[in-house]
């Protein structure tokens, strides 16, 4: 990759990342209308990734009070 192409990519990356995050946030808000809040989705993703965990362990992973 040429230096000019690398610089161009470095300049585009923040804008592309911001767009992606905004789209993801929109999708999470749409899903919350179906009954799942972003916090619930985060907890479910953690349980899926970690497998069986206690509520205390889940709270620690999610950085919330048990």
């Amino acid at each position: 990759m040429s230096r000019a192409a690398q610089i161009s990519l470095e300049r585009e990356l923040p804008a592309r990342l911001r767009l992606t995050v905004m789209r993801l946030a929109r999708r999470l808000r749409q899903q919350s209308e179906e009954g799942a809040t972003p916090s619930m989705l985060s907890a479910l993703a953690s349980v899926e990734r970690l497998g069986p965990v206690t509520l205390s362990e889940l709270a620690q992973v999610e950085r919330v009070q048990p």
Side-chain angles (χ1 to χ4, degrees), residues 1-65:
M1 179 181 291
S2 73
R3 181 71 178 142
Q6 185 178 1
I7 290 171
S8 177
L9 181 61
E10 289 173 2
R11 288 182 180 163
E12 287 179 23
L13 187 60
R16 293 171 74 182
L17 180 59
R18 183 178 184 175
L19 178 61
T20 301
V21 169
M22 289 172 51
R23 287 179 177 164
L24 177 59
R26 184 181 319 125
R27 178 161 288 183
L28 287 173
R29 282 192 305 274
Q30 289 170 346
Q31 288 183 352
S32 71
E33 294 173 7
E34 298 172 9
T37 66
S39 297
M40 289 177 180
L41 294 173
S42 177
L44 287 172
S46 292
V47 170
E48 181 180 33
R49 187 179 75 251
L50 300 171
V53 294
T54 66
L55 291 178
S56 296
E57 292 168 334
L58 181 58
Q60 184 178 9
V61 168
E62 292 294 311
R63 296 184 177 143
V64 297
Q65 293 296 316

